Amino acid sequence: MSASNGDAISIPHLLARNVAQHGNKAAYREKEFGIWQSWTWAQAAQEIDALALGFLTLGAAEGDHIAIIGRNRPALYWAMVAAQKCGCVPVPLYQDAAAEEIAYALDHCGARFAIAEDQEQVDKIADVREGLTGLEHIVYLDGRGLRKYDHAAMTSFADVQAAGHKSGLEAEMKARTDALTYDSKCVMLYTSGTTGRPKGVVLSNRNVIETSKNSAEFDSLRAGDEVLAYLPMAWVGDFIFSIGQAMWTGFCVNCPESADTMQTDLREIGPTYYFAPPRVFETQLTQVMIRMEDAGRFKKWLFDRAMALAKRVGPAMLDGKDVSGMDKLKYRLADWLVIGPLKNTLGLSRVRVGYTAGEAIGPEIFDFYRALGINLKQLYGQTEATVFITQQPDGEVRSDTVGVPSPGVEIRIADNGEVFYRSPGVFEEYYKNAESTASTKDAEGWVATGDAGFIEEDTGHLRIIDRAKDVGKMADGSLFAPKYVENKLKFYPNILEAVVFGADRDRCVAFINIDLTAVGNWAERNNIAYSSYQELSQHPQVLQTIQEHVSEVNRSVADDPMLAGCQVHRFLVLHKELDADDGEMTRTRKVRRKIVGEKFDDLIGALYSDASEIYTETEVTYEDGRKGKIKATLDLRDADVVPVETKVAA
């Protein structure tokens, strides 16, 4: 089936096709009060139509932007499709965004309507409502706590649907849906804003449908697949997985009850198609290792034996390579005793296609999951590409590359090493930002990724080195690639985040964030008392362990003559976690390197001095929006550094 055959020129058209072909099959599930609720494609279409008609009764005009704020819920996905059926453009926003961030997006896109999940989201909008001259009406899904609010410009989701049922505007809705073309706007998604204000990326039906079709065919996704929708709805990946690919293939989208129950819900659903950023896989592995540390001697021995065999045999079996009959027999036994139950506990027993992206994943972590027989692969993409730039084909999966160009994608490497691509997924424009659009996408459709990398001549696989703007030179002219070092540091379970500085300097220094779960468990097992993250982060034994990790990474970095100058000479463990609410990270958990450098310039200065400690005060933002200060005296540590000359001479 071709996306250009006339019956699939928009998401609403794909919905109609799915109703005709899969009408009685489950399209959406949501867990509520511990019970899974289910909607077929036919039922979902009825819900969407009622909501679209309700939007028309509110006065929604073609081209209007409708903001959607909340966690993954079927009703909010329906709101996106309902907006499209009215000729409007859905604009999903991050549910954990602060009121000021939401205000910027609502004002920038000029949203007339906002769909808010609950009281928390309504309150955020209410806090900034006076400055939003374009916002006319709020529709809320969960009315708890809102009974006494002024409802003059606020209506419940159910009431909007009820008004839609009685509206008699079906002909108008059909006319607007029929007017949609392959080049109509499908969605507007805001970038993470690593270097400044987020930009509104406009994607067309062509972008979304062509990319969904190509990626679904690449991995043989089908109507019987199951996906768990738990990542932010404002992220392009969730839009493609839960709207684009779901609509193209007809598979079922499952929404967990809450972030707290996600792991349990994952186990109950057992998705066949699964995406998670490296941080999720790292957290799961850390929890497994923590549990095994607490297990009895026999269970620990059995686990270690089974995993040693799995790491040697599992990936080869997954790739269809030759494995001896005895090893196959041993693996089946290990699968029955250890591997199978472990995959079930993780909720990954049925995964047929798994992906990770967003950051580099540690080889040990990547190999661990593939050893379990989970077909985990890497992809490389960005919002401006409608996700997919490269993917790893089955049988060509490696931890050090991000795969070959996705179907329909062309890649070239500029003279300065920056990666450029051209594809059917290339975005239409940055909304209200022609200058940035022109600097990112040229007249021939080539898009600058901002990443430095190269293509392996023998395999055709793309390897990403770092963000192009972050790759620089040390004072002596040697290469500075901070991400390379940071990823090596984050491979340790007790290091959550790392930020390396050193451009134009004579040596590198680093900030470290400890992983409270992993380090806290270690403290508990060793009877070490602590009252806060701050206290634990500065414990002498924690600092000593981190110092050993940094020294180990330095030895690894020194093995690469090009990057040997990036060894970390001094470091400190931060007294607080880097946080999106404090502006130090994006909502997709990417470090805002420039902002961190400016905010903690006193700490960087101390690391480049001879000081052994530094007193600092840091402003923090609490969950309720209040601000406060954290005061701390931080220990500054030296790490073992391998002399570059000695290493190169050897």
Side-chain angles (χ1 to χ4, degrees), residues 286-287 290 492-495 514-525 536:
T286 298
Q287 290 171 346
I290 287 172
Y492 292 96
N494 45 20
I495 295 180
I514 61 168
D515 186 309
L516 185 58
T517 303
V519 179
N521 186 269
W522 165 84
E524 185 180 326
R525 289 200 313 272
L536 184 61

Side-chain angles (χ1 to χ4, degrees), residues 130-145:
E130 288 184 8
L132 300 173
T133 54
L135 185 65
E136 296 178 13
H137 209 90
I138 297 173
V139 177
Y140 59 85
L141 183 58
D142 183 348
R144 284 177 295 183

Side-chain angles (χ1 to χ4, degrees), residues 32-87:
E32 191 172 17
F33 304 119
I35 300 169
W36 286 101
Q37 314 290 331
S38 182
W39 292 266
T40 64
W41 281 106
Q43 290 170 330
Q46 291 172 357
E47 298 278 355
I48 290 166
D49 283 352
L51 186 59
L53 291 166
F55 286 159
L56 294 180
T57 66
L58 291 174
E62 288 178 288
D64 279 351
H65 288 114
I66 297 180
I68 297 160
I69 317 164
R71 66 176 174 86
N72 311 76
R73 300 194 65 177
L76 297 184
Y77 288 117
W78 301 338
M80 289 201 232
V81 185
Q84 293 166 339
K85 294 200 79 165
C86 297

Side-chain angles (χ1 to χ4, degrees), residues 437-474:
T437 303
S439 65
T440 303
K441 180 174 71 168
D442 69 17
E444 296 180 348
W446 287 100
V447 179
T449 63
D451 291 321
F454 63 92
I455 296 173
E456 294 181 342
E457 290 185 9
D458 54 337
T459 65
H461 279 241
L462 176 66
R463 295 183 68 170
I464 297 296
I465 300 171
D466 206 331
R467 291 293 293 171
K469 63 180 175 57
D470 292 335
V471 176
K473 298 284 186 182
M474 305 286 291

Side-chain angles (χ1 to χ4, degrees), residues 244-526:
Q245 289 180 335
M247 288 290 176
W248 178 260
T249 63
F251 63 54
C252 183
V253 176
N254 300 275
C255 299
E257 186 163 15
S258 69
D260 295 333
T261 66
M262 201 281 283
Q263 191 59 45
T264 303
D265 300 340
L266 175 68
R267 193 159 56 243
E268 290 177 1
I269 287 298
T272 57
Y273 178 43
Y274 181 64
F275 178 93
R279 188 182 297 271
V280 171
F281 287 112
E282 290 163 6
T283 300
Q284 285 186 318
L285 178 55
T286 298
Q287 290 171 346
V288 168
M289 293 308 177
I290 287 172
R291 287 183 182 182
M292 291 319 301
E293 288 297 328
D294 294 334
R297 187 176 299 175
F298 176 70
K299 283 186 177 180
K300 182 73 166 60
W301 173 84
L302 193 62
F303 174 80
D304 290 340
R305 289 290 297 270
M307 288 312 303
L309 173 71
K311 287 175 183 176
R312 182 168 58 85
V313 177
M317 291 180 65
L318 199 57
D319 291 335
K321 296 177 182 176
D322 290 334
V323 175
S324 71
M326 181 55 72
D327 278 342
K328 285 182 181 177
L329 182 62
K330 288 179 179 177
Y331 190 87
R332 285 198 190 99
L333 181 62
D335 186 57
W336 180 61
L337 291 171
V338 176
I339 298 170
L342 176 56
K343 283 199 293 186
N344 185 52
T345 299
L346 295 171
L348 306 177
S349 295
R350 297 204 305 150
V351 171
R352 188 171 55 81
V353 180
Y355 272 110
T356 187
E359 294 276 359
I361 188 170
E364 300 87 353
I365 299 166
F366 191 70
D367 293 341
F368 172 83
Y369 287 96
R370 288 190 61 79
L372 297 179
I374 297 166
N375 186 26
L376 179 61
K377 306 191 287 184
Q378 296 193 82
L379 67 83
Y380 170 62
Q382 55 183 199
T383 307
E384 291 85 347
T386 321
V387 179
F388 298 95
I389 298 175
T390 65
Q391 294 169 268
Q392 293 183 327
D394 291 338
E396 298 181 39
V397 180
R398 291 161 48 194
S399 61
D400 59 346
T401 79
V402 290
V404 300
S406 298
V409 178
E410 302 171 73
I411 291 178
R412 67 176 171 85
I413 309 297
D415 292 339
N416 65 353
E418 185 173 1
V419 179
F420 284 74
Y421 67 89
R422 183 167 63 182
S423 75
V426 168
F427 72 117
E428 295 292 306
E429 63 173 349
Y430 290 127
Y431 188 63
K432 293 182 180 176
N433 197 336
E435 185 180 341
S436 288
T437 303
S439 65
T440 303
K441 180 174 71 168
D442 69 17
E444 296 180 348
W446 287 100
V447 179
T449 63
D451 291 321
F454 63 92
I455 296 173
E456 294 181 342
E457 290 185 9
D458 54 337
T459 65
H461 279 241
L462 176 66
R463 295 183 68 170
I464 297 296
I465 300 171
D466 206 331
R467 291 293 293 171
K469 63 180 175 57
D470 292 335
V471 176
K473 298 284 186 182
M474 305 286 291
D476 62 2
S478 60
L479 186 65
F480 173 65
K483 202 70 176 170
Y484 177 79
V485 183
E486 291 162 2
N487 287 335
K488 283 182 174 290
L489 287 165
K490 291 194 296 183
F491 294 159
Y492 292 96
N494 45 20
I495 295 180
L496 180 67
E497 197 57 71
V499 189
V500 175
F501 303 93
D504 302 319
R505 302 267 197 167
D506 61 341
R507 62 190 189 277
C508 290
V509 298
F511 293 166
I512 305 289
N513 262 163
I514 61 168
D515 186 309
L516 185 58
T517 303
V519 179
N521 186 269
W522 165 84
E524 185 180 326
R525 289 200 313 272
N526 288 275

